[in-house]
Amino acid sequence: DAAERDLGFLEGLVNNAAVFGMILFSLAGIQVLNEPKAIEAAILSVVAKRRNAALPAIIALSILYGLIGVLASWSIGFAPFVPITIAVVKALGYDDLLGATVCLLPGACGWTSGVVNVYSTALAQSYTGLPILSGIWFRVISFVVFMAVALTFIIAYALHYKKHMSAGDTEAAAAALENRPEFTVRRKIALTFNLLGLFLLAYGTSVWGWSMNEISGYWIIVGIITGFIMGWNPDQIC
């Protein structure tokens, strides 16, 4: 019996190799963009010019993550963005909890609504014999409702924290903006390339029927190209 259980575990690993590959390569592809701080530099450069617009920046960032959850069908894919978002939100003058929430809660709304989700919607509909991505307007309405609730919580928490923040928190936020990474030309090109790629990824999963193998291949290619844009050599990219 023990041998059979061990074999079952190994068979499970083998049968789900595509899932492990997708997680591995998607996180790796995103990290190639995260490592040179392209996303952090972009957001902080905008925030630095509008220091009195911290709350609108929080709202905009939350909506962005919600839309990414819808278009890219991400769930675990948000994991690498959590530390970046925390750094950005702290630079705006808030705390770690809000930083994690801004990334994960709207992302969960996008995933859960399943508007064009290749996993929770398209695969499930194909198994049950329904037209792929049918009933999309109901899911769009669901996403709007989920995001309204999420934004209500995020805004309420942000206002409460701002009201009770200490002088030390204010000084730390100002220092983070002053010492932000420069938004260089390479970072701009790399970020633009990745943002355009997200539309390709969304189109591929919803129209071309991309599954986990294709998504893994997408992130391998995007990660390599992003590395070369940033001036890395092959060893650094690997």
Side-chain angles (χ1 to χ4, degrees):
D1 291 343
E4 289 181 0
R5 286 197 297 271
D6 290 342
L7 182 59
F9 173 72
L10 293 174
E11 286 179 345
L13 293 176
V14 172
N15 293 337
N16 290 281
V19 176
F20 299 136
M22 182 194 67
I23 294 173
L24 173 66
F25 290 119
S26 63
L27 294 179
I30 295 169
Q31 187 59 27
V32 176
L33 186 64
N34 288 350
E35 191 68 24
K37 300 184 181 299
I39 300 173
E40 183 179 342
I43 297 174
L44 289 182
S45 65
V46 174
V47 171
K49 297 174 183 177
R50 299 170 177 83
R51 299 192 181 200
N52 295 324
L55 186 57
I58 293 290
I59 296 171
L61 198 56
S62 300
I63 293 174
L64 174 62
Y65 281 128
L67 292 175
I68 290 175
V70 168
L71 296 175
S73 301
W74 283 0
S75 55
I76 189 64
F78 283 105
F81 288 95
V82 173
I84 297 172
T85 310
I86 289 175
V88 171
V89 170
K90 289 185 72 174
L92 289 170
Y94 299 96
D95 65 348
D96 294 21
L97 178 59
L98 185 62
T101 303
V102 164
C103 179
L104 296 176
L105 185 56
C109 292
W111 165 271
T112 305
S113 62
V115 178
V116 291
N117 196 311
V118 66
Y119 311 110
S120 65
T121 301
L123 285 179
Q125 288 180 329
S126 67
Y127 289 148
T128 55
L130 293 171
I132 302 299
L133 299 182
S134 58
I136 191 170
W137 287 111
F138 175 78
R139 297 194 299 278
V140 169
I141 294 172
S142 298
F143 171 67
V144 172
V145 173
F146 295 161
M147 281 298 297
V149 176
L151 286 173
T152 300
F153 173 79
I154 289 170
I155 292 171
Y157 182 88
L159 292 174
H160 175 79
Y161 183 85
K162 214 56 167 174
K163 184 178 179 181
H164 297 88
M165 68 186 302
S166 65
D169 294 329
T170 304
E171 292 174 2
L177 288 178
E178 291 298 331
N179 300 318
R180 68 186 184 278
E182 182 183 356
F183 195 27
T184 62
V185 174
R186 283 187 183 274
R187 285 172 173 155
K188 291 176 182 178
I189 296 174
L191 184 60
T192 302
F193 170 71
N194 276 263
L195 289 175
L196 293 175
L198 287 179
F199 288 98
L200 174 63
L201 181 60
Y203 190 84
T205 55
S206 60
V207 178
W208 293 337
W210 284 7
S211 188
M212 286 170 281
N213 288 336
E214 290 81 8
I215 295 172
S216 297
Y218 164 86
W219 280 113
I220 292 172
I221 295 170
V222 166
I224 292 172
I225 295 175
T226 301
F228 283 127
I229 291 174
M230 293 307 304
W232 291 6
N233 60 48
D235 286 343
Q236 289 174 298
I237 295 173
C238 288

